[in-house]
Amino acid sequence: MATLKLPHWLFPTLVIVLMAGVVVTNRYLQPGQAPLSITCADLPNGCTVRLDDREVAFGIQGELKVLAPFEVWVKAPEAKAVQASFAMKDMDMGFNLYTLRPDPQGIFRAHVTLPVCVTGRRDWVMILDIDGHKLMTPFVTQM
Ligand SMILES: [Cu+2]
């Protein structure tokens, strides 16, 4: 009986497929994957919210205008990874993802510049990702 000879590319291919599977699983099956929606009436003043087991404060510094940079800040004690992205409801506004970096006080910050919407809409949603926990906040940019 002939021995079954496996092609030499089979093992590396299996490893790659397995690794891709792990990445996809991590991305889509994170704990608390349902985003928490919160209305923050005054983003420049900041808002505080309980996100799972953590008290999180967030806000912006500067003016909420398109094409002009403003700063997003997040206070999330002991957070490891904080990211922000911006979207419009029912509209693809393109890929934008900002990684917030902690300042010496441990407040996560990033400078953000929003594009102009081709339809003239000004309603945005900020999506904060804090260690895989998502927080969504609608806001409207100034004219
Ligand atoms: Cu738009």
Side-chain angles (χ1 to χ4, degrees):
M1 198 178 140
T3 45
L4 180 65
K5 195 164 188 308
L6 294 170
H8 65 276
W9 48 262
L10 187 67
F11 183 68
T13 306
L14 277 177
V15 169
I16 289 168
V17 167
L18 266 175
M19 278 165 52
V22 168
V23 169
V24 168
T25 308
N26 274 339
R27 184 152 289 207
Y28 294 104
L29 297 178
Q30 277 173 345
Q33 66 274 66
L36 177 70
S37 226
I38 174 175
T39 308
C40 184
D42 191 5
L43 271 173
N45 258 327
C47 285
T48 305
V49 64
R50 196 147 189 94
L51 187 61
D52 296 284
D53 289 341
R54 185 145 57 186
E55 184 112 316
V56 169
F58 64 96
I60 68 120
Q61 225 165 65
E63 287 181 297
L64 277 175
K65 283 184 172 171
V66 293
L67 299 178
F70 58 88
E71 189 186 62
V72 176
W73 59 264
V74 173
K75 289 179 197 169
E78 283 153 50
K80 285 171 189 68
V82 181
Q83 289 180 318
S85 61
F86 298 84
M88 273 185 182
K89 198 170 183 285
D90 304 321
M91 188 174 180
D92 182 6
M93 292 305 291
F95 178 79
N96 60 72
L97 186 65
Y98 296 87
T99 299
L100 283 70
R101 309 267 176 220
D103 68 6
Q105 283 75 44
I107 302 169
F108 290 83
R109 298 178 187 276
H111 289 280
V112 168
T113 306
L114 293 177
V116 176
C117 180
V118 288
T119 68
R121 279 173 61 177
R122 296 188 290 125
D123 58 308
W124 288 85
V125 180
M126 177 167 73
I127 302 134
L128 293 175
D129 186 315
I130 299 158
D131 293 341
H133 301 277
K134 285 192 172 61
L135 186 65
M136 294 172 63
T137 306
F139 67 93
V140 177
T141 54
Q142 299 165 17
M143 293 289 261

